[in-house]
Amino acid sequence: MLDLKWIRDHPDDLDAGLRRRGQDPMAAAILDLDARHRQAQTELQDLQTTRNEASKAIGEAKRKGENASAQMAEVGRIKDSMAALEDRARDLSDELDDLLAGLPNLPGPDVPDGPDETANALLRDHGEPRRTNFQAKQHFELGEDLGLMDFDRAAKLSGARFVVMRGAVARLHRALAQFMIDLHTTEHGYTEVAPPYLVRDHVLYGTGQLPKFGEDLFRTQEGFWLIPTAEVPLTNLVAGDILDELELPVRVTALTPCFRSEAGASGKDTRGMLRQHQFDKVELVSIAHPDHSDDELERMTSCAEEVLKRLGLAYRVMVLSTGDTGFGARKTHDIEVWLPGQGAYREISSCSNMWDFQARRMKARFRPAEDKGTRFLHTLNGSGVAVGRCLIAVMETYQRADGSIEIPEVLRSYMGGRAEIGTDG
């Protein structure tokens, strides 16, 4: 959420930031609503003062034995007016809160302008995309030919966008997840957390999924929401807290399933595991000092990159344009891995600096060591990385002409020493 005081002081900057995102200006509407809300509050305070004075006059009249019926009638009229004003002020406050909650974060000055992913900028690349002297297969072709991926049976169980994995592919999927979480906790300084997978409304509001993106989520009949990413519970660990500056940065990670309705993905990536309703992901979350969050974004991105480097996968890092940056992010790095079966780079990680956007919604602050008062924290999140998409990249990168798959050296200890996946499963 953006700071209302900042909007009052910088209305032109708000509209300029929204235009960069391809959205209409909102400053005039917000300031008008804010002015009406403040006017209602002022009128309410004035009536409160008048009522207090009238109440004192009633007491004085009674002490003198005088008739106070006129003053008492006036107090009754004031109370009725106050009740109406309270309702009006509350309605204006709710309307203002809803308007502010629907505003996206404003892009940083170094974010490239553009309408969509076509304007994303290459930051760096690593490794040479693998080329084969045979027709490379996509992961679902490899998995089905090996008898270790079954999309038809998954569809019988749950419908489209699910998969049943078996045998060595299921173990490879698990090995990748364990490798990632071990790397981030033992070498990158993240603390492992096992969070709930079901959360309440206010938790999703804190990270910005609600109220705007409810259709992208799954909700239970009991009012819980299935998490779309571990970013949601991990970031909310500091909701409502005031941390000491010396506690920063807080770095946590979790391996969790993620659940997404893919409401806007009709017709996209309908084959295979690229876009599913349920998938596993290792999430990285940092709670940072505002002066250091830009550096923390670079660090987080490098941690995600290290996963792909050790797996020997070619990738590139893109800075997302204003039109492709997510609702709550100020700046985002997407890591795209090379998929030989598709002959294309596809997103495998997204690392974002949210600045104080989520912290304001969550009321998460810190107490500076040498200053009075508190400041809002900066929050960052990133994939470290999506396990299913990493499985896809490994299968397609390490496939052989006969349909078998070599297992990267770094994963073999997690696979019981196994060096390949053959037709024997």
Side-chain angles (χ1 to χ4, degrees):
M1 182 175 290
L2 301 179
D3 181 14
L4 179 57
K5 183 179 183 302
W6 180 88
I7 294 173
R8 291 172 187 153
D9 296 338
H10 303 89
D12 292 341
D13 291 338
L14 170 66
D15 285 345
L18 292 175
R19 288 190 189 97
R20 291 184 65 201
R21 275 188 171 268
Q23 299 198 11
D24 294 333
M26 291 293 295
I30 292 170
L31 294 180
D32 174 67
L33 189 56
D34 178 46
R36 287 190 283 131
H37 176 239
R38 290 200 284 174
Q39 178 62 33
Q41 289 181 312
T42 299
E43 292 176 12
L44 193 57
Q45 290 170 356
D46 291 343
L47 280 177
Q48 178 72 49
T49 300
T50 302
R51 188 186 71 173
N52 292 342
E53 292 173 351
S55 296
K56 289 180 182 178
I58 292 171
E60 184 67 22
K62 288 182 175 181
R63 280 193 297 271
K64 293 179 179 179
E66 298 173 352
N67 186 350
S69 59
Q71 293 96 325
M72 293 174 68
E74 177 64 15
V75 168
R77 287 192 293 271
I78 292 173
K79 285 183 177 179
D80 290 342
S81 297
M82 287 182 65
L85 262 178
E86 286 172 349
D87 290 342
R88 181 183 170 199
R90 188 182 306 110
D91 290 343
L92 288 169
S93 178
D94 291 344
E95 189 177 350
L96 184 59
D97 287 344
D98 289 344
L99 198 58
L100 292 173
L103 289 178
N105 205 349
L106 301 183
D110 55 345
V111 173
D113 289 333
D116 51 36
E117 68 275 4
T118 60
N120 295 347
L122 177 66
L123 184 62
R124 56 182 170 269
D125 55 25
H126 177 86
E128 287 294 324
R130 187 184 178 197
R131 311 291 179 180
T132 62
N133 56 8
F134 56 90
Q135 180 62 47
K137 295 180 179 179
Q138 295 196 54
H139 69 284
F140 53 85
E141 297 171 312
L142 291 164
E144 288 175 333
D145 288 347
L146 291 167
L148 303 179
M149 279 185 177
D150 196 328
F151 296 93
D152 291 336
R153 278 189 169 80
K156 290 179 181 179
L157 296 172
S158 306
R161 298 191 186 277
F162 291 92
V163 64
V164 171
M165 292 179 282
R166 292 191 179 93
V169 167
R171 185 170 185 178
L172 181 59
H173 183 268
R174 175 163 54 90
L176 282 164
Q178 290 177 317
F179 160 67
M180 293 175 203
I181 204 78
D182 286 350
L183 176 64
H184 296 314
T185 55
T186 62
E187 297 188 34
H188 294 160
Y190 288 86
T191 299
E192 185 173 1
V193 174
Y197 304 156
L198 297 168
V199 296
R200 294 295 192 185
D201 294 21
H202 69 276
V203 178
L204 286 154
Y205 177 86
T207 44
Q209 282 80 12
L210 290 180
K212 198 173 180 67
F213 303 104
E215 67 173 8
D216 297 327
L217 309 173
F218 288 112
R219 192 177 191 184
T220 71
Q221 292 181 345
E222 293 75 19
F224 291 104
W225 298 84
L226 293 168
I227 59 170
T229 164
E231 167 204 344
V232 173
L234 292 183
T235 306
N236 273 277
L237 290 174
V238 297
D241 290 349
I242 300 177
L243 304 183
D244 289 329
E245 182 177 347
L246 295 178
E247 296 180 71
L248 303 177
V250 175
R251 299 183 179 119
V252 289
T253 184
L255 165 63
T256 70
C258 305
F259 305 91
R260 300 185 185 177
S261 72
E262 297 292 348
S266 178
K268 297 179 181 177
D269 300 314
T270 54
R271 292 292 309 275
M273 292 180 61
L274 269 168
R275 196 180 296 273
Q276 296 194 294
H277 291 308
Q278 172 189 314
F279 59 94
D280 289 347
K281 179 158 64 78
V282 173
E283 185 73 4
L284 308 174
V285 164
S286 294
I287 311 299
H289 190 290
D291 296 346
H292 305 144
S293 65
D294 288 340
D295 291 338
E296 189 68 16
L297 176 61
E298 298 297 330
R299 182 188 189 277
M300 178 178 285
T301 305
S302 70
C303 291
E305 287 181 74
E306 188 62 26
V307 172
L308 306 185
K309 287 178 179 178
R310 297 203 186 184
L311 291 169
L313 301 174
Y315 67 87
R316 65 185 185 186
V317 181
M318 309 294 290
V319 181
L320 298 195
S321 71
T322 53
D324 201 28
T325 300
F327 174 78
R330 180 175 171 86
K331 182 179 182 180
T332 297
H333 292 160
D334 264 13
I335 305 175
E336 299 177 344
V337 68
W338 176 255
L339 301 183
Q342 286 199 7
Y345 285 100
R346 297 301 301 267
E347 177 199 338
I348 195 170
S349 172
S350 188
C351 299
S352 298
N353 186 354
M354 317 301 274
W355 263 39
D356 60 358
F357 187 83
Q358 293 177 328
R360 288 183 181 277
R361 299 170 78 102
M362 298 186 304
K363 297 179 173 57
R365 299 177 173 87
F366 75 100
R367 185 176 290 104
E370 298 180 358
D371 296 327
K372 294 182 180 179
T374 60
R375 296 175 63 186
F376 283 104
L377 295 157
H378 279 195
T379 61
L380 302 94
N381 62 80
S383 308
V385 294
V387 182
R389 292 198 173 197
C390 198
L391 175 69
I392 292 170
V394 167
M395 291 176 67
E396 294 191 9
T397 298
Y398 287 93
Q399 65 179 292
R400 296 169 174 156
D402 64 358
S404 62
I405 301 167
E406 181 185 356
I407 296 172
E409 182 69 36
V410 74
L411 297 178
R412 293 179 185 176
S413 62
Y414 294 93
M415 296 287 293
R418 189 168 185 163
E420 68 174 23
I421 298 175
T423 54
D424 60 351

